[in-house]
Amino acid sequence: MTVTAVAEPAAVVRRVSVARGYRFELVKLVSQWRIRLLVLACWVAPALFVAGVSQQDTLPSDTLFGRWMHATGWAGPLVMLGFAGSWALPLLTSLVAGDVFAAEDRLGTWRHLLVAVRSPARIFVAKALASVTVILALVAGLAVSSTVGGLLAVGNQPLVGLDGHLLAPGDAAGRVLLAWLCALAPTLALAAIGLLGSVALGRSSMGLLLPVLVALAMQVAQMLPLPVAVRLALPGYAFIAWNGLFTSPAQLAPLLTGVAVGLAWAVLATALAYVLFVRRDFTNPAYDGSGRRAITFGLLPLAALTAVTVGAVAVSTPSMGSGIEQAKVQKSLATVFAHLYRLQTRQLHRPAVTEAQSRTTAACTKSDGQAAQEGAGNDWRCVVSWHLPGVAVTGTAIYQLDITSDGRFVADGDGPKEVNGYFLVRTSTGDAPNPLWQFDGNVELLDTH
């Protein structure tokens, strides 16, 4: 009797697709109470904050566009963007992207994922996409909520730009949207740094804190007297450069450079995280980061990217100085004053005067002329002069300027009282804020002409 063994065909094991893995990772993230609280906070808290502050007597005038929160609802989302770029977005990227891989190390679930997905590369892509999706939802919540809060509390009114000219509500809306979109580039860079830290440092808490620490280091660097080329080479510069959208013409060169640098950091940091992840040893349950490889494949390439960016900016434009020069300060101040003088003229129902008729100029000195006439500081003193049609006497006004290293300045009026010496002006309908008393401006750091 002969027995014939028939071999059964081996079962074909298919890898889980990226789309299915992405949905799984997204559900895992959204199911966490921490993520749900973040989503709720980002979609509700900004509206309450902007609406509440807009109704207060004291406004956050030390924040860009904060002094205009009484006048237009479009100032609210810009105030929120300034706060988000400094604190909220680094924290959000840390809590989402900085923990997405480290959580699996803490729970010891890598072998279950590998058995199910059978591809470290697909696991990485799914987790990265899920993290970015949640972060984009949080950023959208901050932008939409703050905008709705401002418009409901104050209304759809024109916005005063950083050069003093009025932006129509439609124009202001478009520029606010562009500002938030530009802020996505450094946000993605921080998210990629979070992914890199989560992969390279394993269950260590330093991976979770890495985006916050990088953002804090960039803020400190922006306060230092660094050359313009170095400032633009930092991945967070677009968090500052969006204010160039609110001048006429728009200061696009620094903004586009900052966006490009942020995206380059995002791509490189993500690629480094991918290489470290697919090369890791998943059979070692005591794995706790890549150690020396984290420096070799993480820190050094990013430092090299920064050096290349500094060189490229320095070669393309003269940008090795502070960018804050006497002629630029005088031109910027005169432009803002001329536009705001027209606004004050309308408030007081005086005869209209154009910028061309007023022929506004400014003469500025730093440290009473005893130091180099360039650089940041609160020791700039300026005398603004203008002319009125049919009036022989030249009008003058004095301002004290506090210019920060990133080019933003606050002009504080120092007389005469009827022009800029008091925070209120008396109009036919009652007292109104004096637009010439204190105002913000911006010096373009990059030479584009």
Side-chain angles (χ1 to χ4, degrees):
M1 182 176 180
T2 304
V3 179
T4 304
V6 179
E8 296 183 0
V12 179
V13 180
R14 296 182 179 180
R15 293 181 177 181
V16 176
S17 65
V18 172
R20 187 176 176 184
Y22 162 73
R23 290 193 298 269
F24 175 70
E25 294 295 338
L26 186 60
V27 170
K28 282 172 58 179
L29 278 177
V30 177
S31 64
Q32 299 177 23
W33 64 268
R34 178 182 63 191
I35 301 300
R36 293 182 179 182
L37 285 179
L38 289 177
V39 173
L40 179 63
C42 289
W43 281 88
V44 175
L48 299 177
F49 169 78
V50 171
V53 172
S54 299
Q55 304 304 314
Q56 300 297 317
D57 294 332
T58 303
L59 296 176
S61 57
D62 57 337
T63 304
L64 203 60
F65 292 101
R67 66 182 76 252
W68 299 110
M69 291 184 72
H70 276 164
T72 174
W74 294 111
L78 296 177
V79 172
M80 180 55 61
L81 178 55
F83 168 77
S86 299
W87 305 107
L89 294 178
L91 179 60
L92 294 177
T93 53
S94 289
L95 293 175
V96 179
D99 194 47
V100 68
F101 291 97
E104 306 290 352
D105 283 310
R106 291 195 304 270
L107 298 175
T109 52
W110 281 123
R111 61 177 181 176
H112 304 293
L113 270 179
L114 288 170
V115 169
V117 180
R118 297 181 179 274
S119 171
R122 297 190 183 200
I123 292 176
F124 179 89
V125 173
K127 283 184 172 293
L129 290 178
S131 301
V132 170
T133 301
V134 173
I135 291 172
L136 292 180
L138 298 176
V139 175
L142 293 173
V144 173
S145 180
S146 58
T147 301
V148 171
L151 294 178
L152 291 179
V154 184
N156 187 25
Q157 307 297 331
L159 174 69
V160 177
L162 281 182
D163 61 350
H165 78 289
L166 277 178
L167 296 169
D171 192 10
R175 298 188 187 218
V176 169
L177 177 60
L178 282 176
W180 277 94
L181 289 177
C182 291
L184 288 178
T187 302
L188 292 176
L190 291 177
I193 292 172
L195 294 177
L196 179 59
S198 185
V199 170
L201 301 176
R203 67 192 69 171
S204 171
S205 59
M206 286 302 299
L208 183 64
L209 296 175
L210 194 58
V212 173
L213 295 177
V214 171
L216 181 61
M218 289 188 296
Q219 290 185 48
V220 172
Q222 292 295 346
M223 292 187 291
L224 298 176
L226 298 175
V228 178
V230 178
R231 295 184 184 280
L232 268 64
L234 300 177
Y237 189 73
F239 281 143
I240 301 172
W242 58 263
N243 55 30
L245 293 170
F246 296 89
T247 61
S248 182
Q251 299 174 7
L252 294 180
L255 177 59
L256 295 177
T257 303
V259 170
V261 170
L263 293 178
W265 270 68
V267 171
L268 180 58
T270 303
L272 295 172
Y274 173 83
V275 172
L276 287 176
F277 183 75
V278 297
R279 291 183 177 181
R280 71 166 284 178
D281 181 13
F282 291 97
T283 62
N284 181 11
Y287 177 85
D288 195 21
S290 301
R292 187 178 301 175
R293 286 200 303 165
I295 299 177
T296 306
F297 292 100
L299 181 60
L300 294 182
L302 294 175
L305 175 61
T306 302
V308 171
T309 306
V310 170
V313 176
V315 170
S316 61
T317 180
S319 54
M320 293 310 294
S322 68
I324 303 173
E325 303 166 1
Q326 185 182 41
K328 291 182 180 181
V329 174
Q330 294 175 163
K331 179 181 178 181
S332 179
L333 178 63
T335 301
V336 181
F337 183 92
H339 287 135
L340 292 180
Y341 187 84
R342 293 190 63 187
L343 181 60
Q344 187 193 67
T345 298
R346 285 195 294 269
Q347 285 181 325
L348 300 176
H349 301 287
R350 294 173 178 171
V353 57
T354 65
E355 289 84 351
Q357 291 173 324
S358 64
R359 292 174 291 163
T360 304
T361 59
C364 300
T365 57
K366 179 176 170 61
S367 301
D368 293 327
Q370 301 300 313
Q373 301 301 292
E374 64 176 355
N378 60 357
D379 52 351
W380 284 88
R381 185 178 185 274
C382 301
V383 178
V384 179
S385 304
W386 71 97
H387 304 79
L388 295 178
V391 179
V393 179
T394 300
T396 59
I398 300 173
Y399 282 94
Q400 304 292 334
L401 265 61
D402 184 1
I403 308 179
T404 58
S405 299
D406 58 6
R408 179 199 169 190
F409 67 81
V410 176
D412 189 2
D414 201 18
K417 180 179 178 181
E418 59 272 14
V419 178
N420 67 355
Y422 195 59
F423 72 99
L424 295 175
V425 291
R426 186 171 297 278
T427 68
S428 58
T429 58
D431 291 339
N434 183 358
L436 292 177
W437 177 57
Q438 278 187 349
F439 54 82
D440 298 308
N442 191 55
V443 178
E444 186 173 8
L445 301 182
L446 204 58
D447 292 322
T448 57
H449 305 292

